[in-house]
Amino acid sequence: MIDFITIHKELNKNEVLYTNNLEWLKTDKKGYHYLLADEHTPLNVRYDIDNSFVEIKGSLMYYIQGHNFTFNRQSFIDAVKKIGDKLHLNLWDASVTELEFGIIMEIEETPETYINSHHAQKEEKLTEDSKQRDKGHFKWWKDKNVAIKMYDARRNLMKKVPKQTRSKIEGFNSKSKYLKLEIHYNHPHIVLNNGKDIKLSNLILSTWTDKLKEDLLLQYGRLISISRLVPPQNKKEIQTTNWILRGFIQNGLLQGKSPNSTKKTLYEILKSYNILTPDDRKARQRQFRKANELIEYETHDLTDKIIQAFSLHEQWYK
């Protein structure tokens, strides 16, 4: 589903932004800032008169239906038309400069289980982050072009959406568990279109729906899921060094830390022991790697659930 979006509309000589339907917020060096607040959730509108463009930012689904739990292609089209009518502008030729695309999955275990078990692949240059207050409910991984987000969709809905609106959402069960995977594109034209401009009209094409689905799976592939350790199969796997290491790694997993993060912590501790020579440290690192090779992990990989959710919600994009 398409959620948050920023579009950039260049005005030609015959186009003028109609501001009577807007609520003025402030004026600064970036232009005039307004709110379009006639529907459920307002959109931010910025008008730069000197450079003759309008920027619109916000969630079209929250604007038109008050939530982002479901997506409907026709609702998306209706939202764009309504905003255009309010501003007296044709928005379909506007450029998409920021975009979010995601999918909601109904899950068996708690969202926290899936969120904590996911980490960036070692070779991916992603920064992992999560606010302390949202630990277990929200986590993201980002680079300069994208942010991969994973969060508790039920909790998000219950916090942000009024009960009256929630009661009208088709398919939502307040007792079920839901997880959302979402890709936020800071530079969608770079990631999705080889550096070429993306027009708002592109997003309603089935080819672009397929492209967004495909890239969501590709971005998810930059993560790895490790939830718990497979129990040892023989006594050799639980010698003193091994079971201490297993306990250290398992404790890290429970805190949402990756095994690679635990490895770095252990190496830093080893590095702090000044009594050891460089060869001593290398010898102990070899012992660590040998013990670590005996450890296997269980996962909560979401690939099949993502594909299943896309199939289940195929009607959203028709």
Side-chain angles (χ1 to χ4, degrees), residues 6 16 18 21-22 35 38 65 70 72 94 96 132 147 161 179 196 238 240 246 265 272-273 282 313 316:
T6 300
V16 178
Y18 185 72
N21 293 320
L22 298 173
L35 276 184
D38 62 310
Q65 64 185 22
T70 60
N72 180 280
V96 178
Q132 190 61 36
V161 179
L179 183 73
K196 299 176 183 177
I238 47 174
T240 302
R246 292 176 68 89
T265 300
S272 70
Y273 297 154
K282 288 179 181 178
H313 301 306
W316 287 359

mmCIF file with all atom_site columns, all heavy atoms in Angstrom, residues 6 16 18 21-22 35 38 65 70 72 94 96 132 147 161 179 196 238 240 246 265 272-273 282 313 316:
data_model
loop_
_atom_site.group_PDB
_atom_site.id
_atom_site.type_symbol
_atom_site.label_atom_id
_atom_site.label_alt_id
_atom_site.label_comp_id
_atom_site.label_asym_id
_atom_site.label_entity_id
_atom_site.label_seq_id
_atom_site.pdbx_PDB_ins_code
_atom_site.Cartn_x
_atom_site.Cartn_y
_atom_site.Cartn_z
_atom_site.occupancy
_atom_site.B_iso_or_equiv
_atom_site.pdbx_formal_charge
_atom_site.auth_seq_id
_atom_site.auth_comp_id
_atom_site.auth_asym_id
_atom_site.auth_atom_id
_atom_site.pdbx_PDB_model_num
ATOM 1   N N   . THR A 1 6   ? 5.403   12.667  -0.657  1.00 0.00 ? 6   THR A N   1
ATOM 2   C CA  . THR A 1 6   ? 5.677   14.084  -0.901  1.00 0.00 ? 6   THR A CA  1
ATOM 3   C C   . THR A 1 6   ? 5.717   14.287  -2.406  1.00 0.00 ? 6   THR A C   1
ATOM 4   O O   . THR A 1 6   ? 6.410   13.555  -3.113  1.00 0.00 ? 6   THR A O   1
ATOM 5   C CB  . THR A 1 6   ? 7.027   14.521  -0.295  1.00 0.00 ? 6   THR A CB  1
ATOM 6   O OG1 . THR A 1 6   ? 7.015   14.307  1.111   1.00 0.00 ? 6   THR A OG1 1
ATOM 7   C CG2 . THR A 1 6   ? 7.279   16.000  -0.563  1.00 0.00 ? 6   THR A CG2 1
ATOM 8   N N   . VAL A 1 16  ? -2.206  28.870  -10.810 1.00 0.00 ? 16  VAL A N   1
ATOM 9   C CA  . VAL A 1 16  ? -2.056  29.621  -9.561  1.00 0.00 ? 16  VAL A CA  1
ATOM 10  C C   . VAL A 1 16  ? -2.664  28.793  -8.437  1.00 0.00 ? 16  VAL A C   1
ATOM 11  O O   . VAL A 1 16  ? -3.763  28.257  -8.573  1.00 0.00 ? 16  VAL A O   1
ATOM 12  C CB  . VAL A 1 16  ? -2.769  30.996  -9.630  1.00 0.00 ? 16  VAL A CB  1
ATOM 13  C CG1 . VAL A 1 16  ? -2.629  31.727  -8.295  1.00 0.00 ? 16  VAL A CG1 1
ATOM 14  C CG2 . VAL A 1 16  ? -2.200  31.841  -10.756 1.00 0.00 ? 16  VAL A CG2 1
ATOM 15  N N   . TYR A 1 18  ? -4.757  27.969  -5.400  1.00 0.00 ? 18  TYR A N   1
ATOM 16  C CA  . TYR A 1 18  ? -5.943  28.527  -4.754  1.00 0.00 ? 18  TYR A CA  1
ATOM 17  C C   . TYR A 1 18  ? -5.823  28.290  -3.254  1.00 0.00 ? 18  TYR A C   1
ATOM 18  O O   . TYR A 1 18  ? -5.790  27.148  -2.794  1.00 0.00 ? 18  TYR A O   1
ATOM 19  C CB  . TYR A 1 18  ? -7.196  27.851  -5.311  1.00 0.00 ? 18  TYR A CB  1
ATOM 20  C CG  . TYR A 1 18  ? -8.495  28.427  -4.819  1.00 0.00 ? 18  TYR A CG  1
ATOM 21  C CD1 . TYR A 1 18  ? -8.940  29.677  -5.252  1.00 0.00 ? 18  TYR A CD1 1
ATOM 22  C CD2 . TYR A 1 18  ? -9.290  27.724  -3.910  1.00 0.00 ? 18  TYR A CD2 1
ATOM 23  C CE1 . TYR A 1 18  ? -10.142 30.211  -4.812  1.00 0.00 ? 18  TYR A CE1 1
ATOM 24  C CE2 . TYR A 1 18  ? -10.492 28.243  -3.462  1.00 0.00 ? 18  TYR A CE2 1
ATOM 25  C CZ  . TYR A 1 18  ? -10.913 29.487  -3.909  1.00 0.00 ? 18  TYR A CZ  1
ATOM 26  O OH  . TYR A 1 18  ? -12.105 30.017  -3.463  1.00 0.00 ? 18  TYR A OH  1
ATOM 27  N N   . ASN A 1 21  ? -9.011  27.443  0.425   1.00 0.00 ? 21  ASN A N   1
ATOM 28  C CA  . ASN A 1 21  ? -9.347  26.200  1.128   1.00 0.00 ? 21  ASN A CA  1
ATOM 29  C C   . ASN A 1 21  ? -8.242  25.748  2.081   1.00 0.00 ? 21  ASN A C   1
ATOM 30  O O   . ASN A 1 21  ? -8.308  24.651  2.640   1.00 0.00 ? 21  ASN A O   1
ATOM 31  C CB  . ASN A 1 21  ? -9.624  25.077  0.121   1.00 0.00 ? 21  ASN A CB  1
ATOM 32  C CG  . ASN A 1 21  ? -10.886 25.333  -0.678  1.00 0.00 ? 21  ASN A CG  1
ATOM 33  O OD1 . ASN A 1 21  ? -11.891 25.801  -0.142  1.00 0.00 ? 21  ASN A OD1 1
ATOM 34  N ND2 . ASN A 1 21  ? -10.834 25.051  -1.978  1.00 0.00 ? 21  ASN A ND2 1
ATOM 35  N N   . LEU A 1 22  ? -7.224  26.593  2.241   1.00 0.00 ? 22  LEU A N   1
ATOM 36  C CA  . LEU A 1 22  ? -6.083  26.241  3.071   1.00 0.00 ? 22  LEU A CA  1
ATOM 37  C C   . LEU A 1 22  ? -6.038  27.065  4.353   1.00 0.00 ? 22  LEU A C   1
ATOM 38  O O   . LEU A 1 22  ? -6.530  28.193  4.400   1.00 0.00 ? 22  LEU A O   1
ATOM 39  C CB  . LEU A 1 22  ? -4.778  26.468  2.297   1.00 0.00 ? 22  LEU A CB  1
ATOM 40  C CG  . LEU A 1 22  ? -4.577  25.634  1.028   1.00 0.00 ? 22  LEU A CG  1
ATOM 41  C CD1 . LEU A 1 22  ? -3.328  26.100  0.286   1.00 0.00 ? 22  LEU A CD1 1
ATOM 42  C CD2 . LEU A 1 22  ? -4.483  24.160  1.361   1.00 0.00 ? 22  LEU A CD2 1
ATOM 43  N N   . LEU A 1 35  ? -2.048  24.232  5.821   1.00 0.00 ? 35  LEU A N   1
ATOM 44  C CA  . LEU A 1 35  ? -2.655  22.926  6.062   1.00 0.00 ? 35  LEU A CA  1
ATOM 45  C C   . LEU A 1 35  ? -3.892  22.789  5.196   1.00 0.00 ? 35  LEU A C   1
ATOM 46  O O   . LEU A 1 35  ? -4.692  23.729  5.094   1.00 0.00 ? 35  LEU A O   1
ATOM 47  C CB  . LEU A 1 35  ? -3.075  22.763  7.529   1.00 0.00 ? 35  LEU A CB  1
ATOM 48  C CG  . LEU A 1 35  ? -2.053  22.310  8.562   1.00 0.00 ? 35  LEU A CG  1
ATOM 49  C CD1 . LEU A 1 35  ? -2.742  22.133  9.908   1.00 0.00 ? 35  LEU A CD1 1
ATOM 50  C CD2 . LEU A 1 35  ? -1.370  21.008  8.150   1.00 0.00 ? 35  LEU A CD2 1
ATOM 51  N N   . ASP A 1 38  ? -9.567  19.605  5.376   1.00 0.00 ? 38  ASP A N   1
ATOM 52  C CA  . ASP A 1 38  ? -11.013 19.413  5.220   1.00 0.00 ? 38  ASP A CA  1
ATOM 53  C C   . ASP A 1 38  ? -11.453 17.972  5.433   1.00 0.00 ? 38  ASP A C   1
ATOM 54  O O   . ASP A 1 38  ? -12.629 17.690  5.620   1.00 0.00 ? 38  ASP A O   1
ATOM 55  C CB  . ASP A 1 38  ? -11.452 19.868  3.827   1.00 0.00 ? 38  ASP A CB  1
ATOM 56  C CG  . ASP A 1 38  ? -10.792 19.071  2.718   1.00 0.00 ? 38  ASP A CG  1
ATOM 57  O OD1 . ASP A 1 38  ? -9.550  18.938  2.756   1.00 0.00 ? 38  ASP A OD1 1
ATOM 58  O OD2 . ASP A 1 38  ? -11.504 18.576  1.824   1.00 0.00 ? 38  ASP A OD2 1
ATOM 59  N N   . GLN A 1 65  ? -9.362  8.555   4.303   1.00 0.00 ? 65  GLN A N   1
ATOM 60  C CA  . GLN A 1 65  ? -10.157 7.563   5.044   1.00 0.00 ? 65  GLN A CA  1
ATOM 61  C C   . GLN A 1 65  ? -9.838  7.494   6.546   1.00 0.00 ? 65  GLN A C   1
ATOM 62  O O   . GLN A 1 65  ? -10.466 6.740   7.269   1.00 0.00 ? 65  GLN A O   1
ATOM 63  C CB  . GLN A 1 65  ? -9.985  6.175   4.414   1.00 0.00 ? 65  GLN A CB  1
ATOM 64  C CG  . GLN A 1 65  ? -8.569  5.615   4.489   1.00 0.00 ? 65  GLN A CG  1
ATOM 65  C CD  . GLN A 1 65  ? -8.416  4.286   3.756   1.00 0.00 ? 65  GLN A CD  1
ATOM 66  O OE1 . GLN A 1 65  ? -9.196  3.950   2.861   1.00 0.00 ? 65  GLN A OE1 1
ATOM 67  N NE2 . GLN A 1 65  ? -7.396  3.516   4.119   1.00 0.00 ? 65  GLN A NE2 1
ATOM 68  N N   . THR A 1 70  ? -5.758  -0.197  5.520   1.00 0.00 ? 70  THR A N   1
ATOM 69  C CA  . THR A 1 70  ? -6.104  -0.750  4.209   1.00 0.00 ? 70  THR A CA  1
ATOM 70  C C   . THR A 1 70  ? -5.771  0.287   3.131   1.00 0.00 ? 70  THR A C   1
ATOM 71  O O   . THR A 1 70  ? -5.601  1.471   3.414   1.00 0.00 ? 70  THR A O   1
ATOM 72  C CB  . THR A 1 70  ? -7.599  -1.114  4.112   1.00 0.00 ? 70  THR A CB  1
ATOM 73  O OG1 . THR A 1 70  ? -8.388  0.077   4.322   1.00 0.00 ? 70  THR A OG1 1
ATOM 74  C CG2 . THR A 1 70  ? -7.974  -2.166  5.147   1.00 0.00 ? 70  THR A CG2 1
ATOM 75  N N   . ASN A 1 72  ? -6.809  1.362   -1.053  1.00 0.00 ? 72  ASN A N   1
ATOM 76  C CA  . ASN A 1 72  ? -7.711  1.153   -2.182  1.00 0.00 ? 72  ASN A CA  1
ATOM 77  C C   . ASN A 1 72  ? -7.257  2.072   -3.316  1.00 0.00 ? 72  ASN A C   1
ATOM 78  O O   . ASN A 1 72  ? -7.127  3.284   -3.121  1.00 0.00 ? 72  ASN A O   1
ATOM 79  C CB  . ASN A 1 72  ? -9.153  1.466   -1.766  1.00 0.00 ? 72  ASN A CB  1
ATOM 80  C CG  . ASN A 1 72  ? -10.146 1.259   -2.891  1.00 0.00 ? 72  ASN A CG  1
ATOM 81  O OD1 . ASN A 1 72  ? -10.283 2.115   -3.754  1.00 0.00 ? 72  ASN A OD1 1
ATOM 82  N ND2 . ASN A 1 72  ? -10.822 0.134   -2.866  1.00 0.00 ? 72  ASN A ND2 1
ATOM 83  N N   . ALA A 1 94  ? 2.694   16.029  -11.166 1.00 0.00 ? 94  ALA A N   1
ATOM 84  C CA  . ALA A 1 94  ? 3.637   16.379  -10.103 1.00 0.00 ? 94  ALA A CA  1
ATOM 85  C C   . ALA A 1 94  ? 4.676   15.272  -9.944  1.00 0.00 ? 94  ALA A C   1
ATOM 86  O O   . ALA A 1 94  ? 4.421   14.102  -10.221 1.00 0.00 ? 94  ALA A O   1
ATOM 87  C CB  . ALA A 1 94  ? 2.895   16.586  -8.783  1.00 0.00 ? 94  ALA A CB  1
ATOM 88  N N   . VAL A 1 96  ? 7.100   12.804  -7.726  1.00 0.00 ? 96  VAL A N   1
ATOM 89  C CA  . VAL A 1 96  ? 7.104   12.134  -6.423  1.00 0.00 ? 96  VAL A CA  1
ATOM 90  C C   . VAL A 1 96  ? 8.531   12.216  -5.881  1.00 0.00 ? 96  VAL A C   1
ATOM 91  O O   . VAL A 1 96  ? 9.454   11.616  -6.428  1.00 0.00 ? 96  VAL A O   1
ATOM 92  C CB  . VAL A 1 96  ? 6.665   10.662  -6.546  1.00 0.00 ? 96  VAL A CB  1
ATOM 93  C CG1 . VAL A 1 96  ? 6.720   9.971   -5.187  1.00 0.00 ? 96  VAL A CG1 1
ATOM 94  C CG2 . VAL A 1 96  ? 5.255   10.580  -7.133  1.00 0.00 ? 96  VAL A CG2 1
ATOM 95  N N   . GLN A 1 132 ? 13.886  4.039   22.394  1.00 0.00 ? 132 GLN A N   1
ATOM 96  C CA  . GLN A 1 132 ? 13.774  3.218   23.593  1.00 0.00 ? 132 GLN A CA  1
ATOM 97  C C   . GLN A 1 132 ? 12.312  2.998   23.984  1.00 0.00 ? 132 GLN A C   1
ATOM 98  O O   . GLN A 1 132 ? 11.915  1.904   24.376  1.00 0.00 ? 132 GLN A O   1
ATOM 99  C CB  . GLN A 1 132 ? 14.535  3.876   24.746  1.00 0.00 ? 132 GLN A CB  1
ATOM 100 C CG  . GLN A 1 132 ? 14.692  2.994   25.979  1.00 0.00 ? 132 GLN A CG  1
ATOM 101 C CD  . GLN A 1 132 ? 15.468  1.720   25.705  1.00 0.00 ? 132 GLN A CD  1
ATOM 102 O OE1 . GLN A 1 132 ? 16.403  1.718   24.916  1.00 0.00 ? 132 GLN A OE1 1
ATOM 103 N NE2 . GLN A 1 132 ? 15.079  0.626   26.345  1.00 0.00 ? 132 GLN A NE2 1
ATOM 104 N N   . ALA A 1 147 ? 14.598  3.865   4.177   1.00 0.00 ? 147 ALA A N   1
ATOM 105 C CA  . ALA A 1 147 ? 14.480  3.387   5.551   1.00 0.00 ? 147 ALA A CA  1
ATOM 106 C C   . ALA A 1 147 ? 13.525  2.194   5.516   1.00 0.00 ? 147 ALA A C   1
ATOM 107 O O   . ALA A 1 147 ? 12.431  2.288   4.960   1.00 0.00 ? 147 ALA A O   1
ATOM 108 C CB  . ALA A 1 147 ? 13.939  4.473   6.473   1.00 0.00 ? 147 ALA A CB  1
ATOM 109 N N   . VAL A 1 161 ? -5.893  6.051   15.646  1.00 0.00 ? 161 VAL A N   1
ATOM 110 C CA  . VAL A 1 161 ? -7.182  6.100   14.954  1.00 0.00 ? 161 VAL A CA  1
ATOM 111 C C   . VAL A 1 161 ? -8.337  6.004   15.952  1.00 0.00 ? 161 VAL A C   1
ATOM 112 O O   . VAL A 1 161 ? -8.365  5.086   16.788  1.00 0.00 ? 161 VAL A O   1
ATOM 113 C CB  . VAL A 1 161 ? -7.273  4.953   13.916  1.00 0.00 ? 161 VAL A CB  1
ATOM 114 C CG1 . VAL A 1 161 ? -8.618  4.974   13.208  1.00 0.00 ? 161 VAL A CG1 1
ATOM 115 C CG2 . VAL A 1 161 ? -6.133  5.066   12.905  1.00 0.00 ? 161 VAL A CG2 1
ATOM 116 N N   . LEU A 1 179 ? 1.547   -7.037  11.851  1.00 0.00 ? 179 LEU A N   1
ATOM 117 C CA  . LEU A 1 179 ? 2.876   -6.479  11.681  1.00 0.00 ? 179 LEU A CA  1
ATOM 118 C C   . LEU A 1 179 ? 2.932   -5.761  10.337  1.00 0.00 ? 179 LEU A C   1
ATOM 119 O O   . LEU A 1 179 ? 2.429   -6.270  9.335   1.00 0.00 ? 179 LEU A O   1
ATOM 120 C CB  . LEU A 1 179 ? 3.925   -7.597  11.705  1.00 0.00 ? 179 LEU A CB  1
ATOM 121 C CG  . LEU A 1 179 ? 5.394   -7.178  11.604  1.00 0.00 ? 179 LEU A CG  1
ATOM 122 C CD1 . LEU A 1 179 ? 5.843   -6.527  12.924  1.00 0.00 ? 179 LEU A CD1 1
ATOM 123 C CD2 . LEU A 1 179 ? 6.277   -8.395  11.299  1.00 0.00 ? 179 LEU A CD2 1
ATOM 124 N N   . LYS A 1 196 ? 15.534  8.711   -12.878 1.00 0.00 ? 196 LYS A N   1
ATOM 125 C CA  . LYS A 1 196 ? 14.586  9.486   -13.680 1.00 0.00 ? 196 LYS A CA  1
ATOM 126 C C   . LYS A 1 196 ? 13.392  9.911   -12.828 1.00 0.00 ? 196 LYS A C   1
ATOM 127 O O   . LYS A 1 196 ? 12.995  9.223   -11.894 1.00 0.00 ? 196 LYS A O   1
ATOM 128 C CB  . LYS A 1 196 ? 14.104  8.659   -14.873 1.00 0.00 ? 196 LYS A CB  1
ATOM 129 C CG  . LYS A 1 196 ? 15.213  8.247   -15.832 1.00 0.00 ? 196 LYS A CG  1
ATOM 130 C CD  . LYS A 1 196 ? 14.660  7.352   -16.936 1.00 0.00 ? 196 LYS A CD  1
ATOM 131 C CE  . LYS A 1 196 ? 15.763  6.874   -17.865 1.00 0.00 ? 196 LYS A CE  1
ATOM 132 N NZ  . LYS A 1 196 ? 15.238  5.934   -18.898 1.00 0.00 ? 196 LYS A NZ  1
ATOM 133 N N   . ILE A 1 238 ? 28.228  -28.378 24.225  1.00 0.00 ? 238 ILE A N   1
ATOM 134 C CA  . ILE A 1 238 ? 27.961  -27.661 25.473  1.00 0.00 ? 238 ILE A CA  1
ATOM 135 C C   . ILE A 1 238 ? 29.112  -27.801 26.465  1.00 0.00 ? 238 ILE A C   1
ATOM 136 O O   . ILE A 1 238 ? 28.912  -27.978 27.663  1.00 0.00 ? 238 ILE A O   1
ATOM 137 C CB  . ILE A 1 238 ? 26.627  -28.109 26.123  1.00 0.00 ? 238 ILE A CB  1
ATOM 138 C CG1 . ILE A 1 238 ? 26.514  -29.642 26.163  1.00 0.00 ? 238 ILE A CG1 1
ATOM 139 C CG2 . ILE A 1 238 ? 25.439  -27.509 25.404  1.00 0.00 ? 238 ILE A CG2 1
ATOM 140 C CD1 . ILE A 1 238 ? 25.290  -30.136 26.908  1.00 0.00 ? 238 ILE A CD1 1
ATOM 141 N N   . THR A 1 240 ? 32.230  -25.974 28.456  1.00 0.00 ? 240 THR A N   1
ATOM 142 C CA  . THR A 1 240 ? 32.144  -24.720 29.219  1.00 0.00 ? 240 THR A CA  1
ATOM 143 C C   . THR A 1 240 ? 32.168  -23.481 28.324  1.00 0.00 ? 240 THR A C   1
ATOM 144 O O   . THR A 1 240 ? 31.314  -22.594 28.424  1.00 0.00 ? 240 THR A O   1
ATOM 145 C CB  . THR A 1 240 ? 33.292  -24.642 30.240  1.00 0.00 ? 240 THR A CB  1
ATOM 146 O OG1 . THR A 1 240 ? 33.224  -25.779 31.096  1.00 0.00 ? 240 THR A OG1 1
ATOM 147 C CG2 . THR A 1 240 ? 33.166  -23.372 31.078  1.00 0.00 ? 240 THR A CG2 1
ATOM 148 N N   . ARG A 1 246 ? 26.864  -19.480 24.207  1.00 0.00 ? 246 ARG A N   1
ATOM 149 C CA  . ARG A 1 246 ? 25.449  -19.626 23.825  1.00 0.00 ? 246 ARG A CA  1
ATOM 150 C C   . ARG A 1 246 ? 24.570  -18.744 24.717  1.00 0.00 ? 246 ARG A C   1
ATOM 151 O O   . ARG A 1 246 ? 23.642  -18.082 24.240  1.00 0.00 ? 246 ARG A O   1
ATOM 152 C CB  . ARG A 1 246 ? 25.017  -21.088 23.934  1.00 0.00 ? 246 ARG A CB  1
ATOM 153 C CG  . ARG A 1 246 ? 25.679  -22.017 22.911  1.00 0.00 ? 246 ARG A CG  1
ATOM 154 C CD  . ARG A 1 246 ? 25.254  -23.468 23.155  1.00 0.00 ? 246 ARG A CD  1
ATOM 155 N NE  . ARG A 1 246 ? 23.842  -23.643 22.847  1.00 0.00 ? 246 ARG A NE  1
ATOM 156 C CZ  . ARG A 1 246 ? 23.373  -23.964 21.641  1.00 0.00 ? 246 ARG A CZ  1
ATOM 157 N NH1 . ARG A 1 246 ? 24.211  -24.166 20.641  1.00 0.00 ? 246 ARG A NH1 1
ATOM 158 N NH2 . ARG A 1 246 ? 22.089  -24.098 21.433  1.00 0.00 ? 246 ARG A NH2 1
ATOM 159 N N   . THR A 1 265 ? 30.899  -6.890  20.791  1.00 0.00 ? 265 THR A N   1
ATOM 160 C CA  . THR A 1 265 ? 31.027  -6.594  22.222  1.00 0.00 ? 265 THR A CA  1
ATOM 161 C C   . THR A 1 265 ? 32.125  -7.443  22.851  1.00 0.00 ? 265 THR A C   1
ATOM 162 O O   . THR A 1 265 ? 32.966  -6.947  23.614  1.00 0.00 ? 265 THR A O   1
ATOM 163 C CB  . THR A 1 265 ? 29.698  -6.848  22.943  1.00 0.00 ? 265 THR A CB  1
ATOM 164 O OG1 . THR A 1 265 ? 28.682  -6.015  22.383  1.00 0.00 ? 265 THR A OG1 1
ATOM 165 C CG2 . THR A 1 265 ? 29.818  -6.555  24.435  1.00 0.00 ? 265 THR A CG2 1
ATOM 166 N N   . SER A 1 272 ? 40.274  -4.759  25.416  1.00 0.00 ? 272 SER A N   1
ATOM 167 C CA  . SER A 1 272 ? 40.557  -3.931  26.596  1.00 0.00 ? 272 SER A CA  1
ATOM 168 C C   . SER A 1 272 ? 41.551  -4.579  27.558  1.00 0.00 ? 272 SER A C   1
ATOM 169 O O   . SER A 1 272 ? 42.039  -3.925  28.479  1.00 0.00 ? 272 SER A O   1
ATOM 170 C CB  . SER A 1 272 ? 39.249  -3.635  27.342  1.00 0.00 ? 272 SER A CB  1
ATOM 171 O OG  . SER A 1 272 ? 38.744  -4.807  27.972  1.00 0.00 ? 272 SER A OG  1
ATOM 172 N N   . TYR A 1 273 ? 41.845  -5.864  27.354  1.00 0.00 ? 273 TYR A N   1
ATOM 173 C CA  . TYR A 1 273 ? 42.792  -6.557  28.236  1.00 0.00 ? 273 TYR A CA  1
ATOM 174 C C   . TYR A 1 273 ? 44.226  -6.295  27.766  1.00 0.00 ? 273 TYR A C   1
ATOM 175 O O   . TYR A 1 273 ? 44.742  -6.955  26.864  1.00 0.00 ? 273 TYR A O   1
ATOM 176 C CB  . TYR A 1 273 ? 42.508  -8.058  28.247  1.00 0.00 ? 273 TYR A CB  1
ATOM 177 C CG  . TYR A 1 273 ? 41.140  -8.428  28.793  1.00 0.00 ? 273 TYR A CG  1
ATOM 178 C CD1 . TYR A 1 273 ? 40.512  -9.613  28.403  1.00 0.00 ? 273 TYR A CD1 1
ATOM 179 C CD2 . TYR A 1 273 ? 40.465  -7.607  29.697  1.00 0.00 ? 273 TYR A CD2 1
ATOM 180 C CE1 . TYR A 1 273 ? 39.274  -9.971  28.898  1.00 0.00 ? 273 TYR A CE1 1
ATOM 181 C CE2 . TYR A 1 273 ? 39.226  -7.951  30.194  1.00 0.00 ? 273 TYR A CE2 1
ATOM 182 C CZ  . TYR A 1 273 ? 38.624  -9.129  29.787  1.00 0.00 ? 273 TYR A CZ  1
ATOM 183 O OH  . TYR A 1 273 ? 37.385  -9.472  30.288  1.00 0.00 ? 273 TYR A OH  1
ATOM 184 N N   . LYS A 1 282 ? 44.404  -12.839 18.854  1.00 0.00 ? 282 LYS A N   1
ATOM 185 C CA  . LYS A 1 282 ? 44.048  -13.604 17.652  1.00 0.00 ? 282 LYS A CA  1
ATOM 186 C C   . LYS A 1 282 ? 43.744  -15.054 18.005  1.00 0.00 ? 282 LYS A C   1
ATOM 187 O O   . LYS A 1 282 ? 42.823  -15.666 17.442  1.00 0.00 ? 282 LYS A O   1
ATOM 188 C CB  . LYS A 1 282 ? 45.193  -13.537 16.641  1.00 0.00 ? 282 LYS A CB  1
ATOM 189 C CG  . LYS A 1 282 ? 45.352  -12.171 15.979  1.00 0.00 ? 282 LYS A CG  1
ATOM 190 C CD  . LYS A 1 282 ? 46.516  -12.153 14.995  1.00 0.00 ? 282 LYS A CD  1
ATOM 191 C CE  . LYS A 1 282 ? 46.685  -10.791 14.363  1.00 0.00 ? 282 LYS A CE  1
ATOM 192 N NZ  . LYS A 1 282 ? 47.848  -10.747 13.428  1.00 0.00 ? 282 LYS A NZ  1
ATOM 193 N N   . HIS A 1 313 ? -4.374  -9.274  -0.640  1.00 0.00 ? 313 HIS A N   1
ATOM 194 C CA  . HIS A 1 313 ? -4.879  -7.917  -0.851  1.00 0.00 ? 313 HIS A CA  1
ATOM 195 C C   . HIS A 1 313 ? -4.746  -7.464  -2.303  1.00 0.00 ? 313 HIS A C   1
ATOM 196 O O   . HIS A 1 313 ? -4.662  -6.270  -2.575  1.00 0.00 ? 313 HIS A O   1
ATOM 197 C CB  . HIS A 1 313 ? -4.127  -6.947  0.059   1.00 0.00 ? 313 HIS A CB  1
ATOM 198 C CG  . HIS A 1 313 ? -4.249  -7.263  1.518   1.00 0.00 ? 313 HIS A CG  1
ATOM 199 N ND1 . HIS A 1 313 ? -5.465  -7.411  2.142   1.00 0.00 ? 313 HIS A ND1 1
ATOM 200 C CD2 . HIS A 1 313 ? -3.293  -7.489  2.471   1.00 0.00 ? 313 HIS A CD2 1
ATOM 201 C CE1 . HIS A 1 313 ? -5.278  -7.684  3.428   1.00 0.00 ? 313 HIS A CE1 1
ATOM 202 N NE2 . HIS A 1 313 ? -3.966  -7.746  3.638   1.00 0.00 ? 313 HIS A NE2 1
ATOM 203 N N   . TRP A 1 316 ? -6.839  -4.599  -3.690  1.00 0.00 ? 316 TRP A N   1
ATOM 204 C CA  . TRP A 1 316 ? -6.548  -3.195  -3.338  1.00 0.00 ? 316 TRP A CA  1
ATOM 205 C C   . TRP A 1 316 ? -6.038  -2.404  -4.534  1.00 0.00 ? 316 TRP A C   1
ATOM 206 O O   . TRP A 1 316 ? -6.245  -1.195  -4.611  1.00 0.00 ? 316 TRP A O   1
ATOM 207 C CB  . TRP A 1 316 ? -5.483  -3.143  -2.246  1.00 0.00 ? 316 TRP A CB  1
ATOM 208 C CG  . TRP A 1 316 ? -5.948  -3.556  -0.893  1.00 0.00 ? 316 TRP A CG  1
ATOM 209 C CD1 . TRP A 1 316 ? -7.209  -3.956  -0.531  1.00 0.00 ? 316 TRP A CD1 1
ATOM 210 C CD2 . TRP A 1 316 ? -5.176  -3.606  0.314   1.00 0.00 ? 316 TRP A CD2 1
ATOM 211 N NE1 . TRP A 1 316 ? -7.246  -4.251  0.806   1.00 0.00 ? 316 TRP A NE1 1
ATOM 212 C CE2 . TRP A 1 316 ? -6.024  -4.040  1.353   1.00 0.00 ? 316 TRP A CE2 1
ATOM 213 C CE3 . TRP A 1 316 ? -3.838  -3.326  0.602   1.00 0.00 ? 316 TRP A CE3 1
ATOM 214 C CZ2 . TRP A 1 316 ? -5.566  -4.200  2.661   1.00 0.00 ? 316 TRP A CZ2 1
ATOM 215 C CZ3 . TRP A 1 316 ? -3.391  -3.473  1.899   1.00 0.00 ? 316 TRP A CZ3 1
ATOM 216 C CH2 . TRP A 1 316 ? -4.248  -3.903  2.921   1.00 0.00 ? 316 TRP A CH2 1
#
